[in-house]
Amino acid sequence: MPEALGENTYQIDTGLYRPQLAACYLIEDRGELAIVDTGTMHSLPRVLEAISAAGARPEQVRYVMPTHVHLDHAGGAGQLMQACPNATLVVHPKGQRHMIDPSKLQAGATAVYGEQAFARDFGTLLPIPEPRTLAAADRQCFELGARTLQFIDTPGHANHHGCIYDQHSAYLFTGDTFGLGYSEFWRHGKPLLLATTTPVAFDPDAWFSSLDHMMALNPEACCLTHYGKIEQPQAHVEMLRDSIRAHVQIALAEEPLDPEGRHERLHQAVARHMLDMGATHGALPADQILAILESDIELNAQGLAVWLARRAKKGG
Ligand SMILES: [Zn+2]
C-alpha cells in the first residue's frame, strides 16, 4: 500500500529486488495527479493501486516525471504512459530520445546488468510516442491543480538527471541526486547518505553544484528513490558530499595503476568506504551493510571505472 507523506503526497514501493529499495511518488492536487519516477514494468500494478487509493483514475494523471532514465526510475515509463492516456512524459532533454526509442537504453543496461538479470528485472522497455513527451528546461514550471511543480536540472549522478520541486509542499523529489539513504540504515533519527556513481555519466563537479542549487531551494524534505522522505535535508547533505569526495579519491588513487585488476580493486575500495561510513554512522553491522549495498557497490565500482576511462580519453 502507498504511504501518505502529507501534502497529498504518497510514497509507493516499486518492489524492485526487495522491500524499500526503490520508491516512486504520487502527488495529487484538485483531482490532477503527477507521478515522479515510475519503477519498472513490474511496478505498474502498485502505481495503479496507489492512484486508486488516492481516490483517482489513471485518466487523471497529468504528468509522468522520471527523474532520469536509469531503469529503476524510468524502466516502466512506457507501460505507465499506456495506462495513463492523458499524461505527458516530462523528462530531461538528454533523456528524452531514450524514452522515445529505448533500444540504446536496453543495450546499455544489458551490458551493466547482464542479459538474464535484465530480462528478469526490467522485462521490456516500451517506446513512448514523441508527441506525448516534453523535454523540460531547467526551472520550468508545471501546473498541477492549484500547485506548481518545478523541474530542476541536476546533473552529477547522471547528465540526464532532474529533480522535481513541489512549490506547495517544499518537498524536493531527488531521484538519485541526494544519494542512497536506505531505511535500514537510519540511526538516532539520522539517515546514512552514500553516493551512487552508477555508469556511465558520473560527474562529481556537476554533482556538487547540483547540490548547491537544490539546497538553495531550502526544501522542507527530500524524497529519495532509494529510499523515502528525509526532513531537514540541509542537516545531512554534508554526509553525501563526503561520500562523493571519497568516491573521487578512490578513483584517483586507482588512476595511475595498471588497468589489470582494476575492477576488483575499485570494488573493494568502495565496499571499504561504505563499511567505514556505516561504522562511523552508528556501528552498523558489516554483514548487513554488504548485504544491502551489494548491487550498489558493484554499480559504483563500474561507474568509477567508466569515469576513469572518460578522463583518460580527455587526456586526464
Ligand atoms: Zn540512477
Side-chain angles (χ1 to χ4, degrees):
M1 280 304 283
E3 187 178 333
L5 301 179
E7 308 284 2
N8 285 5
T9 304
Y10 304 87
Q11 173 183 300
I12 304 160
D13 189 332
T14 66
L16 183 65
Y17 303 141
R18 61 177 173 85
Q20 307 199 337
L21 180 128
C24 62
Y25 295 92
L26 172 66
I27 306 157
E28 187 275 336
D29 200 306
R30 308 282 196 283
E32 295 189 342
L33 308 183
I35 295 164
V36 181
D37 279 340
T38 70
T40 71
M41 65 175 281
H42 305 300
S43 314
L44 182 62
R46 291 161 181 253
V47 177
L48 295 177
E49 183 197 10
I51 291 170
S52 121
R57 289 169 295 110
E59 289 76 10
Q60 291 167 256
V61 176
R62 188 162 174 196
Y63 307 112
V64 172
M65 309 172 114
T67 55
H68 61 306
V69 302
H70 288 162
L71 297 188
D72 45 338
H73 302 260
Q79 283 81 358
L80 185 57
M81 287 295 288
Q82 276 192 349
C84 303
N86 301 317
T88 298
L89 185 92
V90 174
V91 61
H92 193 286
K94 291 188 174 136
Q96 184 184 25
R97 66 193 169 97
H98 297 296
M99 295 280 89
I100 295 166
D101 173 9
S103 58
K104 271 198 183 142
L105 209 55
Q106 177 141 354
T110 305
V112 170
Y113 296 101
E115 208 152 306
Q116 222 178 351
F118 178 88
R120 181 192 63 220
D121 299 325
F122 302 109
T124 310
L125 307 182
L126 290 185
I128 297 167
E130 183 166 5
R132 296 193 66 194
T133 70
L134 188 158
D138 185 31
R139 313 279 157 169
Q140 189 168 348
C141 288
F142 298 89
E143 304 307 320
L144 184 79
R147 70 178 80 185
T148 301
L149 305 178
Q150 192 174 23
F151 179 89
I152 313 288
D153 187 13
T154 53
H157 163 76
N159 62 4
H160 46 85
H161 198 296
C163 294
I164 306 295
Y165 182 59
D166 180 342
Q167 293 184 348
H168 169 79
S169 64
Y171 292 176
L172 181 62
F173 299 87
T174 55
D176 286 346
T177 305
F178 209 64
L180 305 168
Y182 292 120
S183 320
E184 293 88 343
F185 295 156
W186 281 76
R187 287 294 180 277
H188 316 296
K190 277 191 182 170
L192 173 65
L193 290 179
L194 297 164
T196 163
T197 65
T198 316
V200 292
F202 171 56
D203 181 343
D205 293 335
W207 199 342
F208 288 126
S209 36
S210 291
L211 286 173
D212 290 342
H213 296 152
M214 289 156 66
M215 292 303 106
L217 297 165
N218 202 18
E220 188 71 27
C222 284
C223 297
L224 284 64
T225 300
H226 314 286
Y227 179 98
K229 178 183 172 191
I230 296 180
E231 285 169 7
Q232 297 179 318
Q234 283 87 353
H236 309 295
V237 68
E238 205 47 40
M239 200 187 319
L240 174 59
R241 291 182 190 277
D242 284 344
S243 181
I244 298 169
R245 279 191 283 265
H247 279 82
V248 170
Q249 289 313 315
I250 288 168
L252 294 182
E254 174 62 34
E255 197 160 42
L257 304 183
D258 189 336
E260 177 80 31
R262 170 162 288 178
H263 180 74
E264 287 67 29
R265 288 193 300 270
L266 286 173
H267 188 102
Q268 279 181 14
V270 170
R272 209 175 313 120
H273 160 67
M274 296 200 170
L275 289 170
D276 288 349
M277 293 278 285
T280 314
H281 178 62
L284 294 168
D287 55 345
Q288 192 195 11
I289 292 189
L290 293 178
I292 287 174
L293 293 173
E294 190 187 357
S295 61
D296 294 304
I297 291 168
E298 173 62 22
L299 287 175
N300 281 12
Q302 288 188 24
L304 292 181
V306 171
W307 183 59
L308 286 176
R310 203 161 65 238
R311 281 170 58 86
K313 229 189 211 167
K314 272 195 220 155

